[in-house]
Amino acid sequence: MATVSLTMGKLIAVIVIAILASSAISVGASTILIVGPQGPEGPQGPQGEQGVQGLTGATGPAGPAGDTGATGPQGAKGDEGDTGETGAIGPEGPAGNATRYVIEGSFNVTQDGDLIKYFEGPSDTIAFHWKRIDVPQLTLSDMPSVQVYVSTYFESIENVTAPIQLWRDVGVTHGSIVEDSGVVLYDEGGVYIYYKSISGSNTNYAVTGDYKIVVVK
C-alpha cells in the first residue's frame, strides 16, 4: 500500500509538471504571437508651452566712431529766370474833390498889429507885430493844406539900385523871438503874419504888407 501511494504521488507530480510546462509553452507562444512587426510612427503631439525668457546680457562697449566722409563738391548755380513782362497801366482814377482857394490882399504895415509880443532887450523893449488875415476855410478840427506867401523888399549888396519887391513863402525873418513864436501863426478861421519889430525909435519891416494865401480843402 505504501508503494502504491508513493507511485500515485509521483504520478500527480508528473501531471502538475506537465501542466506547468504546457502553460509555459502557451504563454511563450502567446508572447511570440503578440509581439508582431513595428507599426508606423504615430503623429507628433502638441508643442509644449514656451519657457520663461532668460535675462538679457549686458550691452557691450561702443565701438570707435568712424571717420567723417569728405564733403562733396557744390553744385553749379542755375540760370536766372527771365523777367516777366510789365503789366498794363491801370485806368486813371477819378479826379479828387479838393477845392483850391486863393485869398490875397494887402494891409498897412505902419499900423499896430492885431497880435503884439514884447521882449525885454539889452537896452530897451522890443515889440513884435503880427497881422491877422481871415481865412474862413481854415478849421483846426479838419486842418486843410495852407501855404502863405508874402511880398518883401530885396536890395542889392552894393545898394546902388532901388530895392525890388519879390515874393516868397514865409520863413525865418529876423529876431530869435520871431523864430520861437513862428512867422505865421494859425488860428480858427484865420492866420497871423509877422510883419515888423519896433525897438525904441527903430522899426524893422519884414514884409511890404502884400500877401497871398492858398488853401486846398
Side-chain angles (χ1 to χ4, degrees), residues 10-203:
K10 290 180 179 181
L11 179 63
I12 292 171
V14 171
I15 294 171
V16 170
I17 292 172
I19 292 171
L20 292 175
S22 176
S23 298
I25 294 171
S26 296
V27 171
S30 298
T31 302
I32 294 173
L33 291 176
I34 290 172
V35 180
Q38 184 177 357
E41 184 179 355
Q44 184 176 357
Q47 184 176 356
E49 296 181 359
Q50 184 176 357
V52 180
Q53 183 176 358
L55 299 176
T56 303
T59 303
D67 297 335
T68 303
T71 303
Q74 184 176 0
K77 183 179 180 180
D79 297 334
E80 185 175 354
D82 297 334
T83 303
E85 297 180 359
T86 303
I89 298 175
E92 184 177 356
N97 56 0
T99 304
R100 183 174 181 269
Y101 304 91
V102 178
I103 301 172
E104 56 185 330
S106 180
F107 60 89
N108 189 349
V109 294
T110 63
Q111 296 178 353
D112 290 340
D114 300 308
L115 178 65
I116 303 174
K117 183 172 184 177
Y118 297 95
F119 173 72
E120 295 296 331
S123 57
D124 51 22
T125 301
I126 304 174
F128 298 94
H129 293 248
W130 281 263
K131 178 65 177 178
R132 178 181 170 87
I133 307 297
D134 290 334
V135 183
Q137 297 81 7
L138 198 162
T139 55
L140 299 180
S141 60
D142 183 18
M143 192 70 172
S145 174
V146 182
Q147 183 65 53
V148 180
Y149 299 90
V150 293
S151 175
T152 186
Y153 289 114
F154 180 83
E155 297 182 3
S156 65
I157 298 176
E158 295 80 5
N159 199 23
V160 295
T161 60
I164 59 176
Q165 185 177 353
L166 297 175
W167 288 87
R168 65 175 177 83
D169 57 352
V170 294
V172 176
T173 53
H174 59 271
S176 60
I177 296 299
V178 176
E179 296 174 8
D180 293 341
S181 301
V183 179
V184 174
L185 306 177
Y186 297 91
D187 193 14
E188 188 73 28
V191 298
Y192 290 89
I193 300 176
Y194 168 77
Y195 65 96
K196 72 177 178 180
S197 66
I198 300 175
S199 175
S201 60
N202 297 322
T203 301

